[in-house]
Amino acid sequence: MLLEVGNLLPLVIVVYLVLHLPAIIMLVIGLRLKERKPKTSKTLLILAGVYFLVGAGICGGMF
């Protein structure tokens, strides 16, 4: 067999992290703005959560 499942795991992890990079950035910015701008922070945290949820569903559906 040319490609084994063990060889694909690092690739899947890297692809998952790259595709979720915008959500990770929104999460970090949202946590940093929590004190100064609570409304903006709440919006960013909700969007990051939705992004993670939808992304996990799409990635999980592929397997």
Side-chain angles (χ1 to χ4, degrees):
M1 190 180 249
L2 186 60
L3 292 173
E4 296 181 19
V5 176
N7 293 338
L8 291 177
L9 184 61
L11 179 67
V12 170
I13 291 172
V14 168
V15 168
Y16 184 81
L17 289 175
V18 167
L19 292 177
H20 281 86
L21 193 61
I24 294 168
I25 292 170
M26 282 191 290
L27 180 66
V28 170
I29 293 173
L31 291 174
R32 287 189 171 250
L33 290 178
K34 198 170 190 176
E35 295 288 324
R36 291 180 284 158
K37 297 182 180 181
K39 189 173 181 178
T40 305
S41 171
K42 187 176 182 180
T43 304
L44 284 172
L45 292 174
I46 290 171
L47 287 174
V50 170
Y51 195 108
F52 277 124
L53 187 65
V54 171
I58 290 173
C59 287
M62 283 194 261
F63 296 107

